């Protein structure tokens, strides 16, 4: 309006100046100099007025443009509300109200929760309770994810000349960005405060020049004490020098920062608490350390729990170790085992193991047992398992018996198993005990059976010679000739010997089994003593069987109990006589690593391999129908063992046997020149 008025006024001045110039030309033609000067003056004045007018209007336009630019830079728009017509009209920018909009329509742009507050302020202006106001409300803004932006309205009421309210001018500014930034900042501050509270953190700094330690109390750093006081009052005496050293290192930049646990006196001054401490130096522009700043966090409980947990863990691991338990964990993703107390990884938990490592030491017969377990692990089956497996000992290569148990231990968000855990228990000791018990039971049962057989046998064995003795003793009186008498006496004497041997064996064996066996050792020459055996046994050798004494030494001095040797020889020879009907029976001895080896070799019936071991046990006989109590060899075995020696047999069924016994001693000997011991 005003601009248009200005333009009309300028046009009017141009027409006036042009008219005057025309008049001037006309006057000039009339040659009236006074009039010409007067009209020129008026024209100049009018031209000046016109130029001024034009200059001032362009200046104002420029200011207006600048004003509009600066308003739009501040996201500001302006409107005017015409009270009488109930119309919002745009003055500048792009106000929310748009143009030519009634109040009711404008209000629809405001967030429902803010309409009441806006109306209140606006009505105050309408009702002339106030002449200006400002309010921030949320208005529709499609660019925001929430659909609303924040707008600040500054409103001024304008009255007409008669005093009635004419219009309201509103300046509206989009402050969404500021508001959000502000909200974000507030949120960050709130979370920071909250986390400080929740984490129990203490913020501090030490002013190096001022020698003062400050602590954050209620958002403000307050001085607490100087370095000397801190060291002497807060720290345990033993820690002071160490903390001072760390401080010096930070100060002298030898240490970039510090993180560690500190023991500090509690506020009551009666106990030390454990704090986790972070500290780093703060430098000025010249690089000089002017402050040491840091945090402290009370971790006394955590620390104590940690110590208890560490101790419990130690105990647990110790229990695992002493009870031979291997604790394992299987990661389904890496398909590797972590095992504690595991000989396979040299007891180093950091060394991961694969199923291949286990397969290398698994007993070949148990591989099939491991296949389903491997399936459970690799296919993440939700199952518990327990199997018995044998693994080779990494040290001595012996098979060890284990029970392997496992179960799902950890799952992912979808409930899929991601880890298995379990134990491997070494049962070898129990298995061995179990086997020994089983053997002992079997032995006890067998010996019970054998003893029953022995009693039955013994009745027979004793009765036979006794009957002979009794019978032939009665016949003695009725003997008709000297030859008959001699024959009867010989039979009685033979049966006496037999009976004596039986009783001696029984008595000896019971003494030996009870642990009473004595040795009376003396020095003697075996090479001459063995010849006496030739005399004793030559009469007992069956007809047609050659009796050989193998004596290759010119002397063989030993310190032994000769009678015990005779006992062993007697049993060997008696048996050889019993089971040899042709060929030869050879007795002898030879030097051995451990002392002397005595032996008796026959060409008799021999013994099958499966029977060779058991015949050294009491009451064991290969053929129960053959005469004998099954005691002789077990007695020899007991004597040899009691002397610290050993006993054995080499035999082939049907070809003969070689019985031997090694008695420990230190023989001094010399071979006969023409002999050697290659025959044995
Ligand atoms: P026995 O008094 O019954 O002979 P032993 O303990 O002396 O008891 O022998 C145990 C068993 O060993 C015998 O019953 C016999 O079967 C076997 N035996 C011992 N010596 C010989 C041998 N020289 N040849 C064949 N078998 C033998």
């Amino acid at each position: 309006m005003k601009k248009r008025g200005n333009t009309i006024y300028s046009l009017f001045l141009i027409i006036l100046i042009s008219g005057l110039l025309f008049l001037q030309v006309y006057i000039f033609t009339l040659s009236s100099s006074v009039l010409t000067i007067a009209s020129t003056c008026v024209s100049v004045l009018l031209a000046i007025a016109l130029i001024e007018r034009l200059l001032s209007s362009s200046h104002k336009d420029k200011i207006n443009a600048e004003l509009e630019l600066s308003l739009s830079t501040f996201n500001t728009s302006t409107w005017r509300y015409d009270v009488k017509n109930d119309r919002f009209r745009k003055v500048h920018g792009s106000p929310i109200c748009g143009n030519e909009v009634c109040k009711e329509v404008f209000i629809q742009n405001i967030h429902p929760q803010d309409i009441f507050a806006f109306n209140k302020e606006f009505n105050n202006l309408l009702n002339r309770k106030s002449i200006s106001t400002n309010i921030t409300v949320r208005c529709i803004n499609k660019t925001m994810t929430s659909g609303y932006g924040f707008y600040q309205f500054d409103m001024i009421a304008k009255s007409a000349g008669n005093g009635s309210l004419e219009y309201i001018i509103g300046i509206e500014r989009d402050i969404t960005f500021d508001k959000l930034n502000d909200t974000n900042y507030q949120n960050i501050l709130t979370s920071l405060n909250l986390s400080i509270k929740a984490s129990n953190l203490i913020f501090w700094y030490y002013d190096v020049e001022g020698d003062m330690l400050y602590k954050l109390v209620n958002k403000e750093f307050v001085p607490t004490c100087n370095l000397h006081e801190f060291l002497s009052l807060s720290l345990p005496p033993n820690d002071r020098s160490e903390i001072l050293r760390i401080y010096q290192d930070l100060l002298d930049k030898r240490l970039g920062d510090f993180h560690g646990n500190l023991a500090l006196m509690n506020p009551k001054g009666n106990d030390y608490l454990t704090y986790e401490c972070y500290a780093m130096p703060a430098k000025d522009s010249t690089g000089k350390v002017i402050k040491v700043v840091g945090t402290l966090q009370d971790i006394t409980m955590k620390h104590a729990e940690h110590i208890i947990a560490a101790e419990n863990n130690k105990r647990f691991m110790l229990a695992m170790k002493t009870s031979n338990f291997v604790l394992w964990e299987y990661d389904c993703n890496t398909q590797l085992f972590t095992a504690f107390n595991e000989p396979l990884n040299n007891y180093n938990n950091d060394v991961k193991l694969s199923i291949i490592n286990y397969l290398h030491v698994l007993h070949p017969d148990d591989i099939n047992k491991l296949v389903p377990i491997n399936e459970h692990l690799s296919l993440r089956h939700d199952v518990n398992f327990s199997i018995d497996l044998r693994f080779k000992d990494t040290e001595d290569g012996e098979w060890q018996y284990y029970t392997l148990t496992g179960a799902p231990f950890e799952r992912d968000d979808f409930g899929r198993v991601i880890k298995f855990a379990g134990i491997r228990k070494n049962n070898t000791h129990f298995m061995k005990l179990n086997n020994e018990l089983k053997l002992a039971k079997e032995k006890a049962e067998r010996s019970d059976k054998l003893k029953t057989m022995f009693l039955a046998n013994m009745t027979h064995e004793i009765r036979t010679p006794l009957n002979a003795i009794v019978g032939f003793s009665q016949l003695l009186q009725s003997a008709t000739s000297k030859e008959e008498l001699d024959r009867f006496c010989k039979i009685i004497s033979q049966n006496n010997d037999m009976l004596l041997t039986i009783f001696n064996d029984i008595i000896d064996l019971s003494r030996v089994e009870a642990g009473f066996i004595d040795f009376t050792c003396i020095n003697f020459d075996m090479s001459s003593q063995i010849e006496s055996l030739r005399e004793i046994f030559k009469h007992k050798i069956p007809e047609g069987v050659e009796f050989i004494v193998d004596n290759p030494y010119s002397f063989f001095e030993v310190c032994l109990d000769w009678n015990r040797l005779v006992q062993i020889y007697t049993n060997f020879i008696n048996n050889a006589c019993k089971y040899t009907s042709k060929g030869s029976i050879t007795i002898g001895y030879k030097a051995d690593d451990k002392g002397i080896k005595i032996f008796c070799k026959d060409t008799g019936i021999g013994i099958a391999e499966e029977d060779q071991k058991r015949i050294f046990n009491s009451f064991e006989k290969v053929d129960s129908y053959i005469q004998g109590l099954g005691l002789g060899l077990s007695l020899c075995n007991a004597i040899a063992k009691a002397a610290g020696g050993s006993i054995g047999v080499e035999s082939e069924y049907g070809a003969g046997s070689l019985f031997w016994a090694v008695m420990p001693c230190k023989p001094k000997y010399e071979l006969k020149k023409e002999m050697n011991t290659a025959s044995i």
Side-chain angles (χ1 to χ4, degrees), residues 119-288:
N119 268 341
K120 194 176 160 205
E121 293 300 320
F122 199 79
N123 290 340
N124 278 348
L125 292 173
L126 287 179
N127 302 333
R128 315 201 63 187
K129 285 188 184 155
S130 62
I131 53 162
S132 70
T133 183
N134 70 60
I135 184 168
T136 299
V137 290
R138 283 164 290 174
C139 295
I140 288 172
N141 182 337
K142 299 255 160 56
T143 60
M144 302 303 297
T145 37
S146 65
Y148 287 92
F150 288 91
Y151 291 85
Q152 183 183 320
F153 289 90
D154 289 293
M155 295 177 283
I156 301 169
K158 277 284 174 191
S159 305
N162 59 7
S164 64
L165 183 66
E166 195 181 357
Y167 57 85
I168 294 170
I169 292 286
I171 300 173
E172 123 199 349
R173 196 161 87 84
D174 182 352
I175 57 161
T176 312
F177 188 67
D178 301 354
K179 190 83 180 171
L180 283 182
N181 267 356
D182 192 40
T183 318
N184 275 349
Y185 177 67
Q186 287 304 331
N187 284 345
I188 289 169
L189 265 189
T190 316
S191 340
L192 206 67
N193 273 333
L194 211 69
S195 50
I196 289 172
K197 265 189 190 164
S199 63
N200 221 359
L201 271 177
I202 298 167
F203 288 86
W204 59 267
Y205 76 84
Y206 173 69
D207 177 1
V208 179
E209 264 197 6
D211 184 21
M212 185 52 68
L213 187 67
Y214 292 84
K215 195 170 119 184
L216 186 70
V217 182
N218 295 332
K219 299 179 185 173
E220 214 179 309
F221 277 100
V222 292
T224 54
C225 60
N226 62 26
L227 185 63
H228 175 75
E229 287 164 346
F230 169 72
L231 289 170
S232 55
L233 299 176
S234 298
L235 289 174
N238 287 346
D239 294 358
R240 287 171 197 164
S241 59
E242 173 68 5
I243 298 301
L244 199 60
R245 189 189 59 75
I246 292 169
Y247 167 68
Q248 275 302 335
D249 285 352
L250 287 170
L251 220 57
D252 301 342
K253 295 173 219 164
R254 282 189 293 273
L255 204 63
D257 55 19
F258 167 76
H259 173 215
N261 290 352
L262 286 185
L264 293 176
M265 184 58 79
N266 69 5
K268 283 185 188 165
N270 56 6
D271 198 6
Y272 287 103
L273 302 177
T274 310
Y275 288 88
E276 187 178 15
C277 172
Y278 283 93
M280 59 192 301
K283 300 163 196 164
D284 65 6
S285 54
T286 64
K288 187 180 156 203

Side-chain angles (χ1 to χ4, degrees), residues 316-327:
F316 178 68
M317 292 316 276
L318 206 73
M320 286 278 142
K321 264 194 177 149
T322 48
S323 54
N324 253 340
F325 273 48
V326 176
L327 209 66

